[in-house]
Amino acid sequence: AGTPPGTISDAAVPDVARSTLTPAISSRWFWASVIAIGLFALGLSLLGLAARRGALGRVMADRRVRRQVAAQCRNMNTAAARGDRAALVGAGRKALQARLAAAWGVPAEAIAAADVASRLGARGQRIRDVFEEADRLTYSGGRSAPRPDLPHWQRLITDELSSLEATS
């Protein structure tokens, strides 16, 4: 009087059968998914629009220049603490070159004192002084005739970097 294997006994079937299926549109997860997909699509289209207009590239380039300048400023501070005028002025020159390269659209290494003089004129005299002092110190092996002290060069470079950033 047992049931054969593989068949369902009457005790396994409930007396009342209820539908447990609800339409997906009436559930919270459905609407959360729809909103998330919509926001993702909106974000991608805004990102694409920014890239097409070049805003994204400008932001990334500005961030890269700021990082380069900040790294050279840290190098300047380290050189000042060591009393190394050649390293301080060299780092200052690289920071100024990075800032000018961003404004002029040329490689930073290509900017020399003559370029500063021709493009900035009298306004660039202090920057040109930094470039010339860096050259003097590079070609003299770090020794040059007595010049103003390290705080002078550090202040001069910092002031010029601030001035260039304000005009960018």
PDB file of all heavy atoms in Angstrom, residues 13-14 25 33 39 76 98 118 124 132 137 139 154:
ATOM      1  N   VAL A  13       0.962  17.517  -1.446  1.00  0.00           N
ATOM      2  CA  VAL A  13       0.294  18.579  -2.191  1.00  0.00           C
ATOM      3  C   VAL A  13      -0.533  19.406  -1.214  1.00  0.00           C
ATOM      4  O   VAL A  13      -1.353  18.870  -0.478  1.00  0.00           O
ATOM      5  CB  VAL A  13      -0.618  17.991  -3.294  1.00  0.00           C
ATOM      6  CG1 VAL A  13      -1.367  19.094  -4.024  1.00  0.00           C
ATOM      7  CG2 VAL A  13       0.191  17.152  -4.243  1.00  0.00           C
ATOM      8  N   PRO A  14      -0.338  20.734  -1.151  1.00  0.00           N
ATOM      9  CA  PRO A  14      -1.120  21.555  -0.213  1.00  0.00           C
ATOM     10  C   PRO A  14      -2.585  21.619  -0.622  1.00  0.00           C
ATOM     11  O   PRO A  14      -2.923  21.481  -1.785  1.00  0.00           O
ATOM     12  CB  PRO A  14      -0.452  22.922  -0.304  1.00  0.00           C
ATOM     13  CG  PRO A  14       0.261  22.946  -1.598  1.00  0.00           C
ATOM     14  CD  PRO A  14       0.599  21.507  -1.921  1.00  0.00           C
ATOM     15  N   ILE A  25       7.428  44.773 -12.041  1.00  0.00           N
ATOM     16  CA  ILE A  25       7.260  46.232 -12.019  1.00  0.00           C
ATOM     17  C   ILE A  25       6.783  46.740 -10.658  1.00  0.00           C
ATOM     18  O   ILE A  25       6.969  47.905 -10.321  1.00  0.00           O
ATOM     19  CB  ILE A  25       6.308  46.682 -13.148  1.00  0.00           C
ATOM     20  CG1 ILE A  25       6.475  48.162 -13.411  1.00  0.00           C
ATOM     21  CG2 ILE A  25       4.878  46.339 -12.837  1.00  0.00           C
ATOM     22  CD1 ILE A  25       5.891  48.621 -14.706  1.00  0.00           C
ATOM     23  N   SER A  33      16.838  49.237  -9.822  1.00  0.00           N
ATOM     24  CA  SER A  33      17.664  48.879 -10.986  1.00  0.00           C
ATOM     25  C   SER A  33      17.444  49.866 -12.127  1.00  0.00           C
ATOM     26  O   SER A  33      18.398  50.288 -12.791  1.00  0.00           O
ATOM     27  CB  SER A  33      17.345  47.464 -11.457  1.00  0.00           C
ATOM     28  OG  SER A  33      17.617  46.540 -10.452  1.00  0.00           O
ATOM     29  N   LEU A  39      20.841  56.524 -14.136  1.00  0.00           N
ATOM     30  CA  LEU A  39      21.920  57.399 -13.642  1.00  0.00           C
ATOM     31  C   LEU A  39      23.258  57.047 -14.280  1.00  0.00           C
ATOM     32  O   LEU A  39      24.055  57.927 -14.607  1.00  0.00           O
ATOM     33  CB  LEU A  39      22.007  57.312 -12.120  1.00  0.00           C
ATOM     34  CG  LEU A  39      20.857  57.956 -11.351  1.00  0.00           C
ATOM     35  CD1 LEU A  39      20.986  57.671  -9.857  1.00  0.00           C
ATOM     36  CD2 LEU A  39      20.803  59.452 -11.624  1.00  0.00           C
ATOM     37  N   MET A  76      62.563  71.470  -4.036  1.00  0.00           N
ATOM     38  CA  MET A  76      63.146  72.758  -3.639  1.00  0.00           C
ATOM     39  C   MET A  76      63.279  72.849  -2.123  1.00  0.00           C
ATOM     40  O   MET A  76      64.309  73.289  -1.613  1.00  0.00           O
ATOM     41  CB  MET A  76      62.277  73.936  -4.132  1.00  0.00           C
ATOM     42  CG  MET A  76      62.497  74.296  -5.561  1.00  0.00           C
ATOM     43  SD  MET A  76      61.488  75.688  -6.160  1.00  0.00           S
ATOM     44  CE  MET A  76      60.787  76.441  -4.767  1.00  0.00           C
ATOM     45  N   ALA A  98      57.418  73.565 -16.259  1.00  0.00           N
ATOM     46  CA  ALA A  98      56.163  72.810 -16.319  1.00  0.00           C
ATOM     47  C   ALA A  98      54.969  73.755 -16.417  1.00  0.00           C
ATOM     48  O   ALA A  98      54.048  73.535 -17.205  1.00  0.00           O
ATOM     49  CB  ALA A  98      56.026  71.904 -15.100  1.00  0.00           C
ATOM     50  N   SER A 118      61.669  86.212 -24.946  1.00  0.00           N
ATOM     51  CA  SER A 118      60.925  86.587 -26.149  1.00  0.00           C
ATOM     52  C   SER A 118      59.412  86.564 -25.931  1.00  0.00           C
ATOM     53  O   SER A 118      58.704  87.391 -26.489  1.00  0.00           O
ATOM     54  CB  SER A 118      61.302  85.683 -27.324  1.00  0.00           C
ATOM     55  OG  SER A 118      60.857  84.366 -27.098  1.00  0.00           O
ATOM     56  N   GLY A 124      58.935  88.721 -17.628  1.00  0.00           N
ATOM     57  CA  GLY A 124      59.572  87.451 -17.349  1.00  0.00           C
ATOM     58  C   GLY A 124      61.008  87.546 -16.879  1.00  0.00           C
ATOM     59  O   GLY A 124      61.705  86.533 -16.823  1.00  0.00           O
ATOM     60  N   GLU A 132      68.777  81.432 -15.855  1.00  0.00           N
ATOM     61  CA  GLU A 132      70.202  81.724 -16.038  1.00  0.00           C
ATOM     62  C   GLU A 132      71.024  81.258 -14.839  1.00  0.00           C
ATOM     63  O   GLU A 132      72.130  80.741 -15.009  1.00  0.00           O
ATOM     64  CB  GLU A 132      70.401  83.217 -16.303  1.00  0.00           C
ATOM     65  CG  GLU A 132      69.896  83.615 -17.675  1.00  0.00           C
ATOM     66  CD  GLU A 132      69.875  85.113 -17.897  1.00  0.00           C
ATOM     67  OE1 GLU A 132      70.137  85.889 -16.935  1.00  0.00           O
ATOM     68  OE2 GLU A 132      69.582  85.520 -19.039  1.00  0.00           O
ATOM     69  N   LEU A 137      74.835  77.450 -12.444  1.00  0.00           N
ATOM     70  CA  LEU A 137      75.160  76.441 -11.439  1.00  0.00           C
ATOM     71  C   LEU A 137      75.392  75.067 -12.066  1.00  0.00           C
ATOM     72  O   LEU A 137      76.240  74.304 -11.603  1.00  0.00           O
ATOM     73  CB  LEU A 137      74.055  76.360 -10.379  1.00  0.00           C
ATOM     74  CG  LEU A 137      73.970  77.581  -9.457  1.00  0.00           C
ATOM     75  CD1 LEU A 137      72.680  77.563  -8.660  1.00  0.00           C
ATOM     76  CD2 LEU A 137      75.166  77.651  -8.548  1.00  0.00           C
ATOM     77  N   TYR A 139      76.588  74.479 -15.164  1.00  0.00           N
ATOM     78  CA  TYR A 139      77.841  74.455 -15.918  1.00  0.00           C
ATOM     79  C   TYR A 139      79.062  74.749 -15.064  1.00  0.00           C
ATOM     80  O   TYR A 139      80.182  74.506 -15.494  1.00  0.00           O
ATOM     81  CB  TYR A 139      77.757  75.400 -17.111  1.00  0.00           C
ATOM     82  CG  TYR A 139      76.687  74.970 -18.072  1.00  0.00           C
ATOM     83  CD1 TYR A 139      75.621  75.801 -18.388  1.00  0.00           C
ATOM     84  CD2 TYR A 139      76.704  73.693 -18.627  1.00  0.00           C
ATOM     85  CE1 TYR A 139      74.627  75.385 -19.254  1.00  0.00           C
ATOM     86  CE2 TYR A 139      75.709  73.269 -19.480  1.00  0.00           C
ATOM     87  CZ  TYR A 139      74.681  74.117 -19.797  1.00  0.00           C
ATOM     88  OH  TYR A 139      73.677  73.699 -20.642  1.00  0.00           O
ATOM     89  N   GLN A 154      64.188  80.817  -3.214  1.00  0.00           N
ATOM     90  CA  GLN A 154      62.961  80.072  -2.938  1.00  0.00           C
ATOM     91  C   GLN A 154      61.739  80.990  -2.994  1.00  0.00           C
ATOM     92  O   GLN A 154      60.721  80.654  -3.588  1.00  0.00           O
ATOM     93  CB  GLN A 154      63.072  79.396  -1.569  1.00  0.00           C
ATOM     94  CG  GLN A 154      62.082  78.295  -1.358  1.00  0.00           C
ATOM     95  CD  GLN A 154      62.396  77.488  -0.109  1.00  0.00           C
ATOM     96  OE1 GLN A 154      63.204  77.888   0.729  1.00  0.00           O
ATOM     97  NE2 GLN A 154      61.755  76.348   0.022  1.00  0.00           N
TER      98      GLN A 154
END
